[in-house]
Amino acid sequence: MGASGYGGVQLVRLLQDHPLVEIVYLGGESSAGKPFCSLYPHLGHQVELMIEPIDLDKIASRCEVVFLSLPNGLACEMAPQLLEKGCYVLDLSADYRFTNLNTYTKWYNKERSADLDVARTAVYGLPELYRDAIASARLVGCPGCYVTASLLALSPLLKQGLIVPDSAIIDAKSGASGGGRQAKTNMLLAEADASVSAYGIGGHHRHTPEIEQVCSDLAGHNVKVQFTPHLMPMVRGILATVYANLRDPGLVREDLLTIYKAFYRNSPWVKVLPGGTFPQSKWACGTNLCYIGIEVDQRTDRAIVISTIDNLIKGQAGQAVQCLNIMKGWSETLGLPQLSFYP
Ligand SMILES: NC(=O)C1=CN([C@@H]2O[C@H](COP(=O)(O)OP(=O)(O)OC[C@H]3O[C@@H](n4cnc5c(N)ncnc54)[C@H](OP(=O)(O)O)[C@@H]3O)[C@@H](O)[C@H]2O)C=CC1
Ligand SMILES: CC(=O)N[C@@H](CCC(=O)OP(=O)(O)O)C(=O)O
């Protein structure tokens, strides 16, 4: 659902290539009634479906698995019925990412009383951290681009208790497709080209509480982070630079490399780079990969971890397909791209 959007079309592209998936329903609102290929003509030779209005009975009668790639606040109106009718649901919005729904209500300005029991069954769809729970889930709330890049960079440090609590600073940059396909003034070429701008500064971006929720879970106590997103003059990609004060000033880069490699040894989509190598955002573009580069500044006793993903793949559609693979007991890499489309 949401096939016309940037996340939706990326899902269509991935699922069309997935050897064990058949797409049988594309849902939308303003695009309903149009052939999918009238919106994306270059995919017309592959996808002949029409976009249909979202009719939950029809969807459940045709689909075993439903991907909801819709604006925040819609999945919570649809998921309970879809689950009741026997579907598996993967949600790409924020509706099923929060363990405390008061936090969701505060940041997303939507009351949640009708689906509390359903929300309690939702699993956080970041496979590198919650793989076992995803394997037995029927409802998965997949984290988005900034949060995925930030958490994959920070998790090993937090899980091992290596950093001073609350010292983490996340400086993250995104391509404009992160803002979706709807027209927005700040995304106009004339506004965004040749310019970099920060926003949501001072803990005012809605991803701050989501990052803190997972960091707190990993650390076993409440964690606060400083997160500042930036809009970059590029279409795809996220690059997050994370700084955190090390508890043990004796730790060096090689120690952290060993720790990160061990932490991600069973995670085929995370590539920890050799010492002295740091990722560029275009390396991950077109792939489901997260590249991580690590440094320790021994003058300041800070760890500096740089992660990059494609916001529309590992940060959106690819994450959901990776979760689907785990839910179905398939290989985690099935149907997902590994090679960047850049040289
Ligand atoms: N873009 C990104 O990089 C990322 C996005 N996300 C999340 O994924 C979700 C989708 O994002 P994105 O694809 O960028 O958004 P877009 O704005 O590009 O697409 C939104 C989609 O939702 C559909 N839609 C809007 N309102 C309704 C409605 N009332 N009923 C049914 N369908 C509706 C639209 O359909 P139509 O055109 O037919 O009206 C469109 O297909 C969001 O929750 C977003 O936060 C998560 C991670 C990264
Ligand atoms: C560049 C840009 O505007 N990015 C979006 C991130 C969208 C996204 O990733 O949303 P979720 O992870 O919450 O689904 C933003 O900052 O709001």
Side-chain angles (χ1 to χ4, degrees):
M1 305 303 117
S4 71
Y6 283 159
V9 65
Q10 188 64 73
L11 265 167
V12 170
R13 288 175 51 169
L14 295 178
L15 295 173
Q16 186 67 24
D17 266 356
H18 194 295
L20 299 179
V21 173
E22 185 190 357
I23 305 175
V24 292
Y25 198 114
L26 299 179
E29 191 190 42
S30 61
S31 61
K34 295 183 185 164
F36 179 75
C37 67
S38 70
L39 299 171
Y40 295 105
H42 60 300
L43 303 178
H45 63 291
Q46 292 254 311
V47 186
E48 291 176 355
L49 294 170
M50 300 282 286
I51 300 187
E52 301 181 53
I54 294 184
D55 175 327
L56 299 183
D57 285 322
K58 268 196 201 161
I59 294 167
S61 70
R62 280 192 235 159
C63 309
E64 185 187 346
V65 178
V66 184
F67 294 87
L68 300 173
S69 184
L70 302 169
N72 296 308
L74 294 177
C76 60
E77 313 275 353
M78 300 177 187
Q81 289 181 64
L82 290 168
L83 292 163
E84 174 78 29
K85 293 174 196 297
C87 299
Y88 290 80
V89 177
L90 293 121
D91 179 32
L92 281 304
S93 79
D95 288 15
Y96 289 106
R97 296 177 191 158
F98 285 87
T99 46
N100 181 344
L101 288 186
N102 293 328
T103 309
Y104 172 88
T105 297
K106 179 176 160 205
W107 286 86
Y108 291 86
N109 203 19
K110 183 168 172 100
E111 285 299 329
R112 293 284 290 278
S113 48
D115 68 329
L116 294 184
D117 289 342
V118 169
R120 264 185 224 112
T121 69
V123 171
Y124 196 77
L126 188 54
E128 288 71 19
L129 301 184
Y130 301 107
R131 191 173 274 115
D132 291 348
I134 294 168
S136 54
R138 292 195 69 85
L139 171 61
V140 173
C142 298
C145 44
Y146 280 127
V147 177
T148 297
S150 305
L151 289 175
L152 292 178
L154 256 178
S155 294
L157 295 173
L158 281 164
K159 186 82 184 163
Q160 312 277 350
L162 296 176
I163 55 174
V164 176
D166 301 351
S167 73
I169 296 174
I170 304 161
D171 178 298
K173 289 114 186 153
S174 171
S177 62
R181 200 172 188 230
Q182 264 79 52
K184 293 173 193 154
T185 306
N186 68 325
M187 297 292 182
L188 291 170
L189 183 67
E191 305 278 333
D193 191 32
S195 187
V196 180
S197 50
Y199 59 103
I201 302 144
H204 291 297
H205 194 283
R206 64 189 191 287
H207 291 157
T208 299
E210 191 183 331
I211 296 169
E212 288 178 347
Q213 169 184 296
V214 180
C215 287
S216 301
D217 183 32
L218 290 172
H221 55 79
N222 279 342
V223 172
K224 285 198 170 37
V225 298
Q226 198 73 64
F227 166 67
T228 308
H230 298 73
L231 180 64
M232 296 295 287
M234 60 190 194
V235 175
R236 290 168 93 112
I238 292 258
L239 187 125
T241 306
V242 177
Y243 306 86
N245 295 349
L246 290 167
R247 273 187 157 145
D248 174 359
L251 284 174
V252 296
R253 179 213 276 166
E254 285 308 315
D255 299 322
L256 295 196
L257 281 173
T258 305
I259 289 164
Y260 272 70
K261 282 183 184 153
F263 192 88
Y264 289 120
R265 68 183 176 281
N266 296 322
S267 293
W269 293 112
V270 179
K271 300 291 177 210
V272 179
L273 293 164
T277 307
F278 300 96
Q280 296 181 28
S281 62
K282 67 181 182 183
W283 294 1
C285 279
T287 83
N288 194 51
L289 287 166
C290 174
Y291 287 98
I292 294 182
I294 300 165
E295 187 54 282
V296 171
D297 184 339
Q298 289 177 288
R299 302 163 314 118
T300 57
D301 294 326
R302 281 202 186 96
I304 304 167
V305 186
I306 304 181
S307 65
T308 195
I309 60 171
D310 184 327
N311 57 298
L312 291 174
I313 305 190
K314 182 59 179 160
Q316 217 264 14
Q319 183 104 289
V321 173
Q322 190 182 344
C323 288
L324 171 73
N325 287 340
I326 294 168
M327 290 159 90
K328 300 293 287 180
W330 301 332
S331 160
E332 210 168 311
T333 54
L334 206 63
L336 286 166
Q338 310 216 28
L339 295 177
S340 170
F341 42 56
Y342 287 105

